[in-house]
Amino acid sequence: MPRRSPGSTQDFEDVHTRVATRVRGLRPRPERPHLLEVVDGPGKGTRFRLEAALYEMGRGANVSLQLDSDEVSRLHARLTRADGEYTVEDAHSRNGVLLNGLRVHAAVLRDGDELQLGDVVLKYLEGT
């Protein structure tokens, strides 16, 4: 190896970078199921299994997750999935979206979070 003086650089001609190689004994984490369960309000006990990349929630006829309550807007909120995580976003609803009791415009959901849309309270569950 050649001597280097302070502040000098050395060029390496035979450097290779490998990307996405498997490590022996390491298994990728499997996708976990995501659920929304109505824990209070109309439809209590109803469970929605989340698998799609986009869900629209509300009382309207054309939404993916229909909630039967007059306090819920026709299109109340959207759920979007990216990198295995769901984000809730208020769709300019009349009563807003509460996440664990705090009003939010958009937030990433975590296991055990409670969403409130009008008088409907839903619990977000991962891995069950």
Side-chain angles (χ1 to χ4, degrees), residues 93-122:
S93 63
R94 181 180 67 227
N95 292 322
V97 173
L98 299 178
L99 176 62
N100 299 323
L102 299 173
R103 190 172 184 146
V104 296
H105 173 70
V108 175
L109 297 176
R110 299 288 179 229
D111 187 38
D113 281 347
E114 283 195 354
L115 282 175
Q116 184 170 349
L117 286 65
D119 60 347
V120 179
V121 179
L122 303 117

PDB file of all heavy atoms in Angstrom, residues 93-122:
ATOM      1  N   SER A  93     -63.772  17.272   6.226  1.00  0.00           N
ATOM      2  CA  SER A  93     -65.043  16.858   6.812  1.00  0.00           C
ATOM      3  C   SER A  93     -65.594  17.943   7.740  1.00  0.00           C
ATOM      4  O   SER A  93     -64.865  18.824   8.197  1.00  0.00           O
ATOM      5  CB  SER A  93     -64.862  15.562   7.608  1.00  0.00           C
ATOM      6  OG  SER A  93     -63.981  15.785   8.685  1.00  0.00           O
ATOM      7  N   ARG A  94     -66.874  17.844   8.016  1.00  0.00           N
ATOM      8  CA  ARG A  94     -67.546  18.815   8.890  1.00  0.00           C
ATOM      9  C   ARG A  94     -67.062  18.706  10.339  1.00  0.00           C
ATOM     10  O   ARG A  94     -66.802  19.706  10.989  1.00  0.00           O
ATOM     11  CB  ARG A  94     -69.063  18.582   8.807  1.00  0.00           C
ATOM     12  CG  ARG A  94     -69.887  19.535   9.657  1.00  0.00           C
ATOM     13  CD  ARG A  94     -71.380  19.251   9.539  1.00  0.00           C
ATOM     14  NE  ARG A  94     -71.659  17.943  10.135  1.00  0.00           N
ATOM     15  CZ  ARG A  94     -72.399  16.999   9.562  1.00  0.00           C
ATOM     16  NH1 ARG A  94     -72.938  17.210   8.393  1.00  0.00           N
ATOM     17  NH2 ARG A  94     -72.609  15.851  10.159  1.00  0.00           N
ATOM     18  N   ASN A  95     -66.898  17.484  10.856  1.00  0.00           N
ATOM     19  CA  ASN A  95     -66.533  17.277  12.258  1.00  0.00           C
ATOM     20  C   ASN A  95     -65.062  16.946  12.478  1.00  0.00           C
ATOM     21  O   ASN A  95     -64.638  16.760  13.612  1.00  0.00           O
ATOM     22  CB  ASN A  95     -67.404  16.177  12.876  1.00  0.00           C
ATOM     23  CG  ASN A  95     -68.848  16.626  13.010  1.00  0.00           C
ATOM     24  OD1 ASN A  95     -69.116  17.768  13.322  1.00  0.00           O
ATOM     25  ND2 ASN A  95     -69.772  15.717  12.732  1.00  0.00           N
ATOM     26  N   GLY A  96     -64.282  16.830  11.422  1.00  0.00           N
ATOM     27  CA  GLY A  96     -62.858  16.565  11.560  1.00  0.00           C
ATOM     28  C   GLY A  96     -62.538  15.131  11.939  1.00  0.00           C
ATOM     29  O   GLY A  96     -63.413  14.281  12.087  1.00  0.00           O
ATOM     30  N   VAL A  97     -61.245  14.863  12.108  1.00  0.00           N
ATOM     31  CA  VAL A  97     -60.733  13.546  12.482  1.00  0.00           C
ATOM     32  C   VAL A  97     -59.952  13.707  13.776  1.00  0.00           C
ATOM     33  O   VAL A  97     -59.079  14.566  13.874  1.00  0.00           O
ATOM     34  CB  VAL A  97     -59.815  12.968  11.380  1.00  0.00           C
ATOM     35  CG1 VAL A  97     -59.153  11.685  11.839  1.00  0.00           C
ATOM     36  CG2 VAL A  97     -60.588  12.740  10.090  1.00  0.00           C
ATOM     37  N   LEU A  98     -60.281  12.888  14.767  1.00  0.00           N
ATOM     38  CA  LEU A  98     -59.542  12.875  16.024  1.00  0.00           C
ATOM     39  C   LEU A  98     -58.694  11.610  16.071  1.00  0.00           C
ATOM     40  O   LEU A  98     -59.187  10.516  15.804  1.00  0.00           O
ATOM     41  CB  LEU A  98     -60.478  12.904  17.223  1.00  0.00           C
ATOM     42  CG  LEU A  98     -61.389  14.115  17.372  1.00  0.00           C
ATOM     43  CD1 LEU A  98     -62.282  13.965  18.598  1.00  0.00           C
ATOM     44  CD2 LEU A  98     -60.584  15.394  17.462  1.00  0.00           C
ATOM     45  N   LEU A  99     -57.418  11.773  16.404  1.00  0.00           N
ATOM     46  CA  LEU A  99     -56.511  10.649  16.584  1.00  0.00           C
ATOM     47  C   LEU A  99     -56.072  10.662  18.036  1.00  0.00           C
ATOM     48  O   LEU A  99     -55.426  11.613  18.483  1.00  0.00           O
ATOM     49  CB  LEU A  99     -55.293  10.766  15.665  1.00  0.00           C
ATOM     50  CG  LEU A  99     -54.224   9.688  15.826  1.00  0.00           C
ATOM     51  CD1 LEU A  99     -54.776   8.303  15.495  1.00  0.00           C
ATOM     52  CD2 LEU A  99     -53.020   9.996  14.965  1.00  0.00           C
ATOM     53  N   ASN A 100     -56.485   9.635  18.776  1.00  0.00           N
ATOM     54  CA  ASN A 100     -56.196   9.546  20.216  1.00  0.00           C
ATOM     55  C   ASN A 100     -56.613  10.827  20.945  1.00  0.00           C
ATOM     56  O   ASN A 100     -55.915  11.319  21.826  1.00  0.00           O
ATOM     57  CB  ASN A 100     -54.713   9.244  20.450  1.00  0.00           C
ATOM     58  CG  ASN A 100     -54.305   7.917  19.841  1.00  0.00           C
ATOM     59  OD1 ASN A 100     -55.067   6.958  19.859  1.00  0.00           O
ATOM     60  ND2 ASN A 100     -53.120   7.862  19.279  1.00  0.00           N
ATOM     61  N   GLY A 101     -57.764  11.378  20.536  1.00  0.00           N
ATOM     62  CA  GLY A 101     -58.329  12.543  21.202  1.00  0.00           C
ATOM     63  C   GLY A 101     -57.860  13.881  20.681  1.00  0.00           C
ATOM     64  O   GLY A 101     -58.372  14.921  21.105  1.00  0.00           O
ATOM     65  N   LEU A 102     -56.901  13.912  19.754  1.00  0.00           N
ATOM     66  CA  LEU A 102     -56.400  15.170  19.204  1.00  0.00           C
ATOM     67  C   LEU A 102     -56.826  15.324  17.755  1.00  0.00           C
ATOM     68  O   LEU A 102     -56.716  14.382  16.967  1.00  0.00           O
ATOM     69  CB  LEU A 102     -54.868  15.214  19.278  1.00  0.00           C
ATOM     70  CG  LEU A 102     -54.247  15.130  20.671  1.00  0.00           C
ATOM     71  CD1 LEU A 102     -52.741  15.017  20.567  1.00  0.00           C
ATOM     72  CD2 LEU A 102     -54.649  16.337  21.494  1.00  0.00           C
ATOM     73  N   ARG A 103     -57.284  16.514  17.409  1.00  0.00           N
ATOM     74  CA  ARG A 103     -57.700  16.763  16.026  1.00  0.00           C
ATOM     75  C   ARG A 103     -56.468  16.822  15.124  1.00  0.00           C
ATOM     76  O   ARG A 103     -55.495  17.511  15.433  1.00  0.00           O
ATOM     77  CB  ARG A 103     -58.485  18.063  15.937  1.00  0.00           C
ATOM     78  CG  ARG A 103     -59.135  18.238  14.592  1.00  0.00           C
ATOM     79  CD  ARG A 103     -60.068  19.422  14.584  1.00  0.00           C
ATOM     80  NE  ARG A 103     -60.722  19.473  13.291  1.00  0.00           N
ATOM     81  CZ  ARG A 103     -61.941  19.880  13.104  1.00  0.00           C
ATOM     82  NH1 ARG A 103     -62.657  20.294  14.130  1.00  0.00           N
ATOM     83  NH2 ARG A 103     -62.466  19.894  11.909  1.00  0.00           N
ATOM     84  N   VAL A 104     -56.511  16.074  14.018  1.00  0.00           N
ATOM     85  CA  VAL A 104     -55.396  16.029  13.079  1.00  0.00           C
ATOM     86  C   VAL A 104     -55.895  16.253  11.658  1.00  0.00           C
ATOM     87  O   VAL A 104     -57.046  15.956  11.342  1.00  0.00           O
ATOM     88  CB  VAL A 104     -54.637  14.680  13.140  1.00  0.00           C
ATOM     89  CG1 VAL A 104     -53.985  14.471  14.493  1.00  0.00           C
ATOM     90  CG2 VAL A 104     -55.531  13.510  12.790  1.00  0.00           C
ATOM     91  N   HIS A 105     -55.010  16.780  10.826  1.00  0.00           N
ATOM     92  CA  HIS A 105     -55.303  16.861   9.396  1.00  0.00           C
ATOM     93  C   HIS A 105     -54.825  15.581   8.712  1.00  0.00           C
ATOM     94  O   HIS A 105     -55.515  14.997   7.890  1.00  0.00           O
ATOM     95  CB  HIS A 105     -54.649  18.085   8.763  1.00  0.00           C
ATOM     96  CG  HIS A 105     -54.795  18.104   7.276  1.00  0.00           C
ATOM     97  ND1 HIS A 105     -55.996  18.322   6.657  1.00  0.00           N
ATOM     98  CD2 HIS A 105     -53.900  17.876   6.289  1.00  0.00           C
ATOM     99  CE1 HIS A 105     -55.843  18.239   5.338  1.00  0.00           C
ATOM    100  NE2 HIS A 105     -54.575  17.972   5.096  1.00  0.00           N
ATOM    101  N   ALA A 106     -53.605  15.139   9.091  1.00  0.00           N
ATOM    102  CA  ALA A 106     -53.043  13.889   8.560  1.00  0.00           C
ATOM    103  C   ALA A 106     -52.055  13.338   9.579  1.00  0.00           C
ATOM    104  O   ALA A 106     -51.378  14.100  10.269  1.00  0.00           O
ATOM    105  CB  ALA A 106     -52.341  14.137   7.233  1.00  0.00           C
ATOM    106  N   ALA A 107     -51.991  12.003   9.681  1.00  0.00           N
ATOM    107  CA  ALA A 107     -51.064  11.375  10.624  1.00  0.00           C
ATOM    108  C   ALA A 107     -50.861   9.910  10.250  1.00  0.00           C
ATOM    109  O   ALA A 107     -51.765   9.262   9.710  1.00  0.00           O
ATOM    110  CB  ALA A 107     -51.606  11.464  12.047  1.00  0.00           C
ATOM    111  N   VAL A 108     -49.668   9.390  10.555  1.00  0.00           N
ATOM    112  CA  VAL A 108     -49.370   7.973  10.376  1.00  0.00           C
ATOM    113  C   VAL A 108     -49.983   7.218  11.550  1.00  0.00           C
ATOM    114  O   VAL A 108     -49.868   7.644  12.696  1.00  0.00           O
ATOM    115  CB  VAL A 108     -47.845   7.737  10.318  1.00  0.00           C
ATOM    116  CG1 VAL A 108     -47.527   6.242  10.255  1.00  0.00           C
ATOM    117  CG2 VAL A 108     -47.236   8.455   9.128  1.00  0.00           C
ATOM    118  N   LEU A 109     -50.644   6.105  11.255  1.00  0.00           N
ATOM    119  CA  LEU A 109     -51.294   5.307  12.293  1.00  0.00           C
ATOM    120  C   LEU A 109     -50.334   4.289  12.882  1.00  0.00           C
ATOM    121  O   LEU A 109     -49.519   3.702  12.170  1.00  0.00           O
ATOM    122  CB  LEU A 109     -52.512   4.588  11.719  1.00  0.00           C
ATOM    123  CG  LEU A 109     -53.630   5.499  11.205  1.00  0.00           C
ATOM    124  CD1 LEU A 109     -54.741   4.665  10.579  1.00  0.00           C
ATOM    125  CD2 LEU A 109     -54.173   6.361  12.321  1.00  0.00           C
ATOM    126  N   ARG A 110     -50.458   4.073  14.180  1.00  0.00           N
ATOM    127  CA  ARG A 110     -49.673   3.083  14.912  1.00  0.00           C
ATOM    128  C   ARG A 110     -50.629   2.109  15.601  1.00  0.00           C
ATOM    129  O   ARG A 110     -51.766   2.456  15.919  1.00  0.00           O
ATOM    130  CB  ARG A 110     -48.780   3.757  15.964  1.00  0.00           C
ATOM    131  CG  ARG A 110     -47.775   4.723  15.381  1.00  0.00           C
ATOM    132  CD  ARG A 110     -46.681   3.965  14.654  1.00  0.00           C
ATOM    133  NE  ARG A 110     -45.721   4.888  14.068  1.00  0.00           N
ATOM    134  CZ  ARG A 110     -45.305   4.810  12.819  1.00  0.00           C
ATOM    135  NH1 ARG A 110     -45.773   3.874  12.022  1.00  0.00           N
ATOM    136  NH2 ARG A 110     -44.422   5.659  12.347  1.00  0.00           N
ATOM    137  N   ASP A 111     -50.140   0.910  15.857  1.00  0.00           N
ATOM    138  CA  ASP A 111     -50.947  -0.129  16.488  1.00  0.00           C
ATOM    139  C   ASP A 111     -51.585   0.396  17.778  1.00  0.00           C
ATOM    140  O   ASP A 111     -50.907   0.957  18.632  1.00  0.00           O
ATOM    141  CB  ASP A 111     -50.070  -1.341  16.798  1.00  0.00           C
ATOM    142  CG  ASP A 111     -50.866  -2.521  17.307  1.00  0.00           C
ATOM    143  OD1 ASP A 111     -51.991  -2.749  16.811  1.00  0.00           O
ATOM    144  OD2 ASP A 111     -50.373  -3.221  18.206  1.00  0.00           O
ATOM    145  N   GLY A 112     -52.911   0.237  17.880  1.00  0.00           N
ATOM    146  CA  GLY A 112     -53.638   0.650  19.067  1.00  0.00           C
ATOM    147  C   GLY A 112     -54.205   2.052  19.007  1.00  0.00           C
ATOM    148  O   GLY A 112     -54.933   2.465  19.915  1.00  0.00           O
ATOM    149  N   ASP A 113     -53.900   2.817  17.954  1.00  0.00           N
ATOM    150  CA  ASP A 113     -54.439   4.174  17.822  1.00  0.00           C
ATOM    151  C   ASP A 113     -55.961   4.140  17.702  1.00  0.00           C
ATOM    152  O   ASP A 113     -56.526   3.205  17.131  1.00  0.00           O
ATOM    153  CB  ASP A 113     -53.882   4.880  16.587  1.00  0.00           C
ATOM    154  CG  ASP A 113     -52.487   5.440  16.781  1.00  0.00           C
ATOM    155  OD1 ASP A 113     -52.025   5.501  17.940  1.00  0.00           O
ATOM    156  OD2 ASP A 113     -51.864   5.820  15.776  1.00  0.00           O
ATOM    157  N   GLU A 114     -56.603   5.177  18.256  1.00  0.00           N
ATOM    158  CA  GLU A 114     -58.053   5.325  18.117  1.00  0.00           C
ATOM    159  C   GLU A 114     -58.363   6.525  17.237  1.00  0.00           C
ATOM    160  O   GLU A 114     -57.846   7.612  17.451  1.00  0.00           O
ATOM    161  CB  GLU A 114     -58.711   5.495  19.482  1.00  0.00           C
ATOM    162  CG  GLU A 114     -58.824   4.206  20.227  1.00  0.00           C
ATOM    163  CD  GLU A 114     -59.779   4.277  21.413  1.00  0.00           C
ATOM    164  OE1 GLU A 114     -60.290   5.364  21.737  1.00  0.00           O
ATOM    165  OE2 GLU A 114     -60.017   3.218  22.012  1.00  0.00           O
ATOM    166  N   LEU A 115     -59.184   6.268  16.237  1.00  0.00           N
ATOM    167  CA  LEU A 115     -59.665   7.304  15.330  1.00  0.00           C
ATOM    168  C   LEU A 115     -61.108   7.602  15.663  1.00  0.00           C
ATOM    169  O   LEU A 115     -61.888   6.675  15.900  1.00  0.00           O
ATOM    170  CB  LEU A 115     -59.635   6.809  13.881  1.00  0.00           C
ATOM    171  CG  LEU A 115     -58.326   6.773  13.145  1.00  0.00           C
ATOM    172  CD1 LEU A 115     -58.536   6.131  11.781  1.00  0.00           C
ATOM    173  CD2 LEU A 115     -57.776   8.162  12.982  1.00  0.00           C
ATOM    174  N   GLN A 116     -61.472   8.878  15.662  1.00  0.00           N
ATOM    175  CA  GLN A 116     -62.871   9.228  15.853  1.00  0.00           C
ATOM    176  C   GLN A 116     -63.315  10.082  14.682  1.00  0.00           C
ATOM    177  O   GLN A 116     -62.727  11.120  14.387  1.00  0.00           O
ATOM    178  CB  GLN A 116     -63.087   9.978  17.157  1.00  0.00           C
ATOM    179  CG  GLN A 116     -64.558  10.250  17.409  1.00  0.00           C
ATOM    180  CD  GLN A 116     -64.827  10.786  18.794  1.00  0.00           C
ATOM    181  OE1 GLN A 116     -63.958  10.781  19.662  1.00  0.00           O
ATOM    182  NE2 GLN A 116     -66.046  11.249  19.002  1.00  0.00           N
ATOM    183  N   LEU A 117     -64.361   9.612  14.006  1.00  0.00           N
ATOM    184  CA  LEU A 117     -64.991  10.319  12.907  1.00  0.00           C
ATOM    185  C   LEU A 117     -66.433  10.523  13.316  1.00  0.00           C
ATOM    186  O   LEU A 117     -67.200   9.555  13.378  1.00  0.00           O
ATOM    187  CB  LEU A 117     -64.919   9.502  11.619  1.00  0.00           C
ATOM    188  CG  LEU A 117     -63.576   9.410  10.893  1.00  0.00           C
ATOM    189  CD1 LEU A 117     -62.526   8.701  11.679  1.00  0.00           C
ATOM    190  CD2 LEU A 117     -63.750   8.760   9.546  1.00  0.00           C
ATOM    191  N   GLY A 118     -66.806  11.766  13.647  1.00  0.00           N
ATOM    192  CA  GLY A 118     -68.146  12.018  14.173  1.00  0.00           C
ATOM    193  C   GLY A 118     -68.324  11.265  15.475  1.00  0.00           C
ATOM    194  O   GLY A 118     -67.522  11.393  16.396  1.00  0.00           O
ATOM    195  N   ASP A 119     -69.377  10.434  15.545  1.00  0.00           N
ATOM    196  CA  ASP A 119     -69.617   9.652  16.762  1.00  0.00           C
ATOM    197  C   ASP A 119     -69.142   8.204  16.628  1.00  0.00           C
ATOM    198  O   ASP A 119     -69.455   7.357  17.468  1.00  0.00           O
ATOM    199  CB  ASP A 119     -71.094   9.694  17.149  1.00  0.00           C
ATOM    200  CG  ASP A 119     -72.011   9.122  16.064  1.00  0.00           C
ATOM    201  OD1 ASP A 119     -71.544   8.921  14.924  1.00  0.00           O
ATOM    202  OD2 ASP A 119     -73.189   8.887  16.355  1.00  0.00           O
ATOM    203  N   VAL A 120     -68.346   7.921  15.600  1.00  0.00           N
ATOM    204  CA  VAL A 120     -67.811   6.581  15.378  1.00  0.00           C
ATOM    205  C   VAL A 120     -66.337   6.546  15.824  1.00  0.00           C
ATOM    206  O   VAL A 120     -65.533   7.352  15.374  1.00  0.00           O
ATOM    207  CB  VAL A 120     -67.915   6.171  13.893  1.00  0.00           C
ATOM    208  CG1 VAL A 120     -67.319   4.784  13.672  1.00  0.00           C
ATOM    209  CG2 VAL A 120     -69.355   6.212  13.419  1.00  0.00           C
ATOM    210  N   VAL A 121     -66.024   5.617  16.730  1.00  0.00           N
ATOM    211  CA  VAL A 121     -64.653   5.451  17.211  1.00  0.00           C
ATOM    212  C   VAL A 121     -64.134   4.120  16.677  1.00  0.00           C
ATOM    213  O   VAL A 121     -64.758   3.083  16.844  1.00  0.00           O
ATOM    214  CB  VAL A 121     -64.595   5.456  18.757  1.00  0.00           C
ATOM    215  CG1 VAL A 121     -63.160   5.259  19.236  1.00  0.00           C
ATOM    216  CG2 VAL A 121     -65.177   6.753  19.312  1.00  0.00           C
ATOM    217  N   LEU A 122     -62.967   4.198  16.010  1.00  0.00           N
ATOM    218  CA  LEU A 122     -62.352   3.012  15.418  1.00  0.00           C
ATOM    219  C   LEU A 122     -60.977   2.802  16.035  1.00  0.00           C
ATOM    220  O   LEU A 122     -60.258   3.760  16.310  1.00  0.00           O
ATOM    221  CB  LEU A 122     -62.178   3.200  13.908  1.00  0.00           C
ATOM    222  CG  LEU A 122     -63.451   3.515  13.126  1.00  0.00           C
ATOM    223  CD1 LEU A 122     -63.337   4.866  12.487  1.00  0.00           C
ATOM    224  CD2 LEU A 122     -63.708   2.463  12.098  1.00  0.00           C
TER     225      LEU A 122
END
